[in-house]
Amino acid sequence: MSASPDSGLSRPPQTTRRRQLAELRGPATPPRPLDARALAALAANPGCRRRALLDGAGVDKSALAAKLGSPAPFGQSQFAIVRGNSFEAKVKADGGRELLRLIGVEDPGTVSVPELSAAGPEGRVARTALALREATAAGTWTLLDHPLLALEVAGSPVYLEPDAVVVRPDGGWTVVEIKSFPMVDGAADASKVGAAARQAAVYVLALERVAAATEGARVAQSVLLVCPKDFSNLPTASVVDVRKQRSVTRRQLDRLTRIDEIAAALPEGVSFDVAERSAEELTAAVECVPHQYAPECLAACELAFHCRSRTRQADAVETLGRSVRGELGGLTTVGAVLAAARGEEGDPADPAVAALRRARALREEALSEAGARACR
C-alpha cells in the first residue's frame, strides 16, 4: 500500500514516472488534470486500482468509456458551468467587494490581492506558496484569487485550484468555495453541501502542506461556502465544518496504492490510448487493472457503467453495495448467496450463512401465512 504523502520513502525519478504514464495514455494525448472533485471521488473508493491508475495517468475516462461502449451521462451540463462562472464573477466583481463583505471586511482597500500568475503549474504553485508566506508575515487581510496548490496522491502530484483563499491578520488561512446552487432560508441541499465539503477538504489538506513550512500559519478546519441567496443572484455565505471530511479524505488518500506499483504489475505493451487503440484492445487493457465497483460509483466515475456490467457478468455481490458485501463475508457471488440460503452450500456455523437461512425461513413462513389467508 502507499506511504503517506509526507513520508520520506524513496521515489522513482519524476521523468521516469511521467514517461511511463504518458505511454499508458498515449504519447500524443495531453493528460487530463485531476481536480478536487475527482480527487474526493477517488478518495471515497481507495481500493479501486483502476481509477487510481487512469486518473494518475491523465486518461480521459469519458472518451474511454464511450469507446468501450458504456458511455456515462456524467459531469456538469454546459448551462450549469456557465451559471457557476457567472455567479463567481459576480461574487468577485469590484475587487471582490461582495466576497470581502461576507468575510467581514467592510473596506476592500485594506485587503491585498497579490498577482499569482507564473509559468507552468510548478511556477504557479511556488508563487502561491510565496504569496501565502508573505501575507502571513505581513499580518494583513489578503485575498488569493484562484491560487494553485499541490498535493501528492499515490506517488504522483495533483494540482488543485480553489476558488479563493483568505489570509487573516492573525495568520489564519480559510478556503472559500463558491457554488451556484441556492441557499434557501439559510440552508442548502444537504447532498450538494456534502459534496462541496468533501471537495473543500482536499483544498484544506493541500494548504496544510504549505502551512507546515510557514511560521505563524494555521489552516482553518472550516470553509466559507458562498451560494445565491434564496432564488436571487445575491451571494450569501455559510461556514461549513470540514474536519470529518478532511480526516476521512486524508486516511483514504494514504491508503491508495502507489501508481508505480499498479503500473509495474501491468503486462508489457498495455495502453489506454483512446485515439490509437481499438475497442477490443482497450477492453483488454482496462481488464488488466483490478477494480472495486460499488453502486456509489455511478455518481462519481465515468467508467462506472462499464465496471457495473463486468461485475454483473461475474455475478459478484459488489453490485448489491458495500454494506451488503461486508455482511456476506466469504460469499462472493450472488449464486453462492442463494445456494447458502437454500441450504445447498455454506457452513451452518458461518454467521452470514445462518442469517441467510433464517431470512429464507422467515420469508417462506410469511408467504405461507399470506397464502393461507387468501384461501379463506
Side-chain angles (χ1 to χ4, degrees):
M1 302 302 288
S2 71
S4 163
D6 298 320
S7 70
L9 297 181
S10 61
R11 298 182 174 93
Q14 287 293 325
T15 53
T16 302
R17 179 187 296 122
R18 288 175 180 173
R19 182 168 57 250
Q20 184 180 33
L21 296 181
E23 291 173 353
L24 285 174
R25 71 172 175 270
T29 305
R32 187 177 182 87
L34 267 177
D35 57 14
R37 188 193 306 267
L39 197 55
L42 177 61
N45 191 7
C48 186
R49 295 189 168 203
R50 181 175 295 173
R51 173 156 193 168
L53 178 64
L54 294 176
D55 281 347
V59 175
D60 186 342
K61 297 196 299 297
S62 293
L64 178 59
K67 195 151 186 180
L68 292 175
S70 302
F74 184 81
Q76 287 183 300
S77 68
Q78 191 62 36
F79 172 77
I81 294 174
V82 171
R83 182 182 61 189
N85 291 339
S86 175
F87 179 69
E88 181 178 343
K90 178 179 177 62
V91 172
K92 294 180 177 179
D94 194 18
R97 181 178 294 273
E98 281 293 324
L99 176 56
L100 295 172
R101 178 185 62 81
L102 294 171
I103 295 170
V105 181
E106 295 298 335
D107 183 9
T110 63
V111 179
S112 173
V113 184
E115 175 60 47
L116 300 178
S117 60
E122 294 88 352
R124 288 187 59 199
V125 168
R127 183 67 188 89
T128 295
L130 178 61
L132 286 167
R133 287 194 291 270
E134 291 176 343
T136 304
T140 57
W141 285 99
T142 303
L143 174 64
L144 277 67
D145 185 10
H146 283 290
L148 195 67
L149 307 170
L151 187 66
E152 186 174 306
V153 179
S156 190
V158 176
Y159 298 107
L160 307 165
E161 187 175 358
D163 294 325
V165 171
V166 174
V167 180
R168 299 176 179 274
D170 61 0
W173 299 355
T174 302
V175 172
V176 178
E177 267 295 280
I178 302 174
K179 298 296 184 183
S180 59
F181 55 80
M183 194 175 293
V184 182
D185 292 332
D189 182 275
S191 62
K192 293 181 179 179
V193 173
R198 290 189 293 273
Q199 181 177 340
V202 177
Y203 298 139
V204 169
L205 285 173
L207 266 182
E208 288 176 344
R209 291 174 62 86
V210 185
T214 305
E215 185 178 355
R218 55 182 179 80
V219 181
Q221 299 298 294
S222 58
V223 302
L224 189 71
L225 178 63
V226 180
C227 299
K229 183 178 181 181
D230 298 326
F231 300 101
S232 69
N233 203 35
L234 298 175
T236 187
S238 176
V239 176
V240 180
D241 190 331
V242 297
R243 284 177 295 180
K244 179 180 178 181
Q245 290 85 354
R246 178 230 174 252
S247 298
V248 171
T249 301
R250 176 56 186 261
R251 184 169 61 251
Q252 299 293 61
L253 290 179
D254 286 350
R255 287 180 55 199
L256 283 172
T257 304
R258 291 181 58 82
I259 294 174
D260 306 322
E261 298 175 20
I262 303 174
L266 296 176
E268 188 176 352
V270 167
S271 172
F272 304 99
D273 191 341
V274 177
E276 299 295 332
R277 299 299 176 110
S278 66
E280 292 75 17
E281 289 174 318
L282 290 172
T283 299
V286 168
E287 294 306 313
C288 287
V289 190
H291 73 287
Q292 192 171 79
Y293 171 79
E296 294 84 353
C297 296
L298 295 173
C301 182
E302 298 89 334
L303 279 180
F305 285 85
H306 173 81
C307 296
R308 182 180 66 173
S309 174
R310 295 292 173 168
T311 303
R312 285 176 172 176
Q313 290 176 14
D315 199 30
V317 296
E318 280 76 7
T319 57
L320 305 176
R322 290 194 181 98
S323 59
V324 176
R325 174 68 188 89
E327 294 290 339
L328 292 174
L331 302 173
T332 59
T333 66
V334 175
V337 170
L338 296 176
R342 292 192 296 263
E344 300 170 357
E345 295 181 11
D347 182 0
D350 186 336
V353 174
L356 287 168
R357 292 179 181 176
R358 176 60 176 162
R360 183 171 184 269
L362 291 173
R363 177 180 181 275
E364 290 180 345
E365 180 181 337
L367 291 175
S368 177
E369 291 179 358
R373 286 196 299 268
C375 293
R376 292 174 185 171

